């Protein structure tokens, strides 16, 4: 019996989405533009020279980018030894749940609710509900913002008043930042959990607890983030595998994104380095016939939204080095798929996700071009490899 590891490099898009212009993202290319900046010597902070990702490039990462966008990059020119292609999303969003659910076989069937980029951003009745649940007289923020910038702006006022900092983005989210010691971590998590049903009824995708610590001038977020996501509208790949009696493992924020459905065991960690240690462990201990679904979020959260090209490049190169150790632990018959859920081009205007195709590169199933595929084809391919019934519309590319 075979195992599958589905590994999400959060936001590592490769350009070329056919509907990018509708999202204001025509020309965005996360991987391609990072590689170009590195080759031009404009991403040498903490690293130097062209982008180096030899392990993933050997599987077809550079080839997938060239297919998706027509853009080539120095040092991403290997002749692929794996299966490779580029996937296109059909859900009308460039957010985390849309990308993950569709990769798991379930496109989003509704339009998400997005909050306007105004001040205030939230309707009065929603603000009143937050205040009631939190037992406070008001909120801070009430706007679109970067999660790191807003705690610098309102952190001191939050510590004086005890009011939660509420903000959103171009995604369908309601985020609440609060100090772990002054406001309390458990209180923050409970507030988001209690508010989530109201948001989900509005078709807002996630309530997100964003705890931070520190003092004025030195606030920083912790690894205790919690996402309370609306449940997928139909059984996903995780359900298909679990219903077939197989083991399922969720690494990182997968458990939150899928509301715990179809997940046998959660593997959490304070950062991507800790999560990769879990992935290495699972390479050794995951059961025959099992699915491991992992998300590595720091490409997106630490570097994409912050438009930090050098930091994103460092993270890509670190990840690729760890991939080498991971692949060395694979067993005969294992399938590993590396892909992404959307883009977040750090050279792009603004601070939000970008609509892009995503690379799909596979180890363990020989070499060859997949070509263009759909996000849902990833789920169908995993199901085919594991020998479990697929319930979605995708077709296996294996």
């Amino acid at each position: 019996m075979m195992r599958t590891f589905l590994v999400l490099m959060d936001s590592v898009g490769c350009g070329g989405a056919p509907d990018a212009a509708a999202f204001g993202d025509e020309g965005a290319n996360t991987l391609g533009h990072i590689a170009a900046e590195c080759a031009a010597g404009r991403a040498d902070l903490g690293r130097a020279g062209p982008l180096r990702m030899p392990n993933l490039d050997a599987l077809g990462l550079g080839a997938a980018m060239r297919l998706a966008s027509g853009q080539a990059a120095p040092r991403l020119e290997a002749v692929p030894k794996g299966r490779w292609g580029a996937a296109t999303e059909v859900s009308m969003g460039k957010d985390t749940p849309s990308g993950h659910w569709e990769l798991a076989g379930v496109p989003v069937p509704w339009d998400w609710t997005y909050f306007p980029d105004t001040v205030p951003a939230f309707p009065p009745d929603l603000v009143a509900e937050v205040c009631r649940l939190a037992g406070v007289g008001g909120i801070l923020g009430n706007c679109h913002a970067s999660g790191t910038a807003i705690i610098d702006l309102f952190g001191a006022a939050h510590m004086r008043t005890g009011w939660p900092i509420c903000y959103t983005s171009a995604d369908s989210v309601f985020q609440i930042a609060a100090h772990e010691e002054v406001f309390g971590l458990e209180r923050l998590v409970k507030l988001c959990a209690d508010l989530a049903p109201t948001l989900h009824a509005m078709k807002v995708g996630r309530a997100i607890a964003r705890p931070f610590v520190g003092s004025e001038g030195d606030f920083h977020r912790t690894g205790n983030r919690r996402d309370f996501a609306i449940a997928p509208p139909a059984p996903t790949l995780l359900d298909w595998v679990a219903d077939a009696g197989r083991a399922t493992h969720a690494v990182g924020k997968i458990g939150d994104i899928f509301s715990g459905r179809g997940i046998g065991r959660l593997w959490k960690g304070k950062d991507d380095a800790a999560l990769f240690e879990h992935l290495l462990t699972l390479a050794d201990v995951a059961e025959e016939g099992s699915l491991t679904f992992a998300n590595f979020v720091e490409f997106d959260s630490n570097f994409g939204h912050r438009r930090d090209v050098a930091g994103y490049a460092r993270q890509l190169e670190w990840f690729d080095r760890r991939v080498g150790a991971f692949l060395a632990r694979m067993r005969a018959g294992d399938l590993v798929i590396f892909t992404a859920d959307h883009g977040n081009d750090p050279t792009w205007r603004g601070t939000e996700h970008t609509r892009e195709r995503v690379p799909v590169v596979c180890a363990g199933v020989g070499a060859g071009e997949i070509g263009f595929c759909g996000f849902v084809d990833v789920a169908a391919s995993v199901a085919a490899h594991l020998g479990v019934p697929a319930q979605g519309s995708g077709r296996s590319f294996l």
Side-chain angles (χ1 to χ4, degrees):
M1 196 177 290
M2 303 171 179
R3 307 183 302 173
T4 297
F5 297 83
L6 179 55
V7 182
L8 264 288
M9 304 177 292
D10 202 301
S11 85
V12 184
C14 56
D19 58 357
F23 293 82
D25 294 329
E26 187 173 19
N29 185 337
T30 300
L31 185 61
H33 287 159
I34 292 170
E37 290 295 292
C38 290
R42 293 190 291 266
D44 285 352
L45 183 62
R47 57 164 310 282
L51 184 65
R52 295 172 174 86
M53 300 182 68
N55 292 302
L56 286 169
D57 190 34
L59 294 178
L61 183 65
M65 183 180 68
R66 292 190 295 274
L67 173 67
S69 63
Q71 182 172 344
R75 300 293 180 93
L76 295 178
E77 303 164 324
V79 176
K81 299 178 182 178
R83 297 291 303 278
W84 59 274
T88 305
E89 185 175 11
V90 299
S91 298
M92 290 307 296
K94 50 181 180 178
D95 53 87
T96 295
S98 294
H100 281 74
W101 293 357
E102 192 169 327
L103 287 164
V106 181
V108 178
W110 55 64
D111 291 331
W112 294 109
T113 292
Y114 301 96
F115 295 108
D117 192 0
T118 57
V119 180
F122 307 123
D125 57 343
L126 182 57
V127 173
E129 181 65 2
V130 174
C131 293
R132 184 187 72 82
L133 292 171
V136 296
I139 66 170
L140 300 168
N142 203 345
C143 60
H144 280 236
S146 159
T148 51
I150 201 164
I151 61 174
D152 290 337
L153 186 60
F154 291 105
H158 165 72
M159 294 182 75
R160 289 195 307 269
T161 64
W163 291 6
I165 305 170
C166 301
Y167 63 104
T168 188
S169 70
D171 292 339
S172 181
V173 294
F174 189 98
Q175 305 187 77
I176 306 179
H179 199 283
E180 285 195 0
E181 297 159 3
V182 174
F183 191 87
L185 177 59
E186 290 185 5
R187 183 184 174 199
L188 171 62
V189 171
K190 184 177 187 302
L191 172 59
C192 289
D194 291 345
L195 184 64
T198 297
L199 294 168
H200 296 166
M202 299 167 60
K203 291 295 185 286
V204 175
R206 289 175 290 162
I208 305 178
R210 290 285 200 172
F212 65 94
V213 295
S215 56
E216 187 170 3
D218 187 32
F219 292 122
H220 54 276
R221 298 194 298 194
T222 74
N224 293 319
R225 164 181 170 163
R226 284 288 308 276
D227 290 41
F228 295 89
I230 191 171
T236 72
L237 172 64
L238 287 159
D239 298 304
W240 309 347
V241 176
D243 289 348
R246 309 289 185 81
T248 57
H249 299 274
V251 180
K253 64 179 186 176
I254 297 298
D256 292 333
I257 294 167
F258 289 89
S259 300
R261 284 183 20 183
I263 294 170
R265 182 172 176 184
L266 290 169
W267 300 71
K268 304 287 280 187
K270 66 177 182 178
D271 54 23
D272 278 4
L275 296 179
F276 215 106
E277 291 304 314
H278 290 325
L279 189 61
L280 291 174
T281 296
L282 283 162
D284 293 333
V285 306
E287 303 86 343
E288 292 300 313
S290 65
L291 168 63
T292 295
F293 196 168
N295 171 282
F296 291 89
V297 72
E298 290 181 352
F299 303 106
D300 185 59
S301 61
N302 288 2
F303 308 111
H305 288 298
R306 300 181 190 183
R307 297 303 188 246
D308 180 352
V309 178
Y312 207 131
R314 290 195 305 271
Q315 190 74 1
L316 286 168
E317 292 173 336
W318 166 83
F319 185 81
D320 188 78
R321 290 192 295 271
R322 302 304 286 148
V323 163
F326 172 64
L327 293 176
R329 300 191 185 200
M330 291 297 96
R331 303 174 188 167
D334 285 348
L335 167 65
V336 185
I337 300 177
F338 296 96
T339 187
D341 53 344
H342 49 69
N344 199 346
D345 187 340
T347 73
W348 207 244
R349 56 186 172 270
T351 61
E352 305 299 344
H353 296 157
T354 42
R355 182 72 162 190
E356 302 178 40
R357 286 188 169 113
V358 299
V360 178
V361 296
C362 310
V365 287
E369 181 177 348
I370 295 166
F372 290 118
C373 63
F375 276 35
V376 291
D377 296 337
V378 172
S381 302
V382 171
H385 184 76
L386 293 176
V388 302
Q391 302 174 32
S393 60
R395 295 184 177 182
S396 173
F397 48 66
L398 299 180

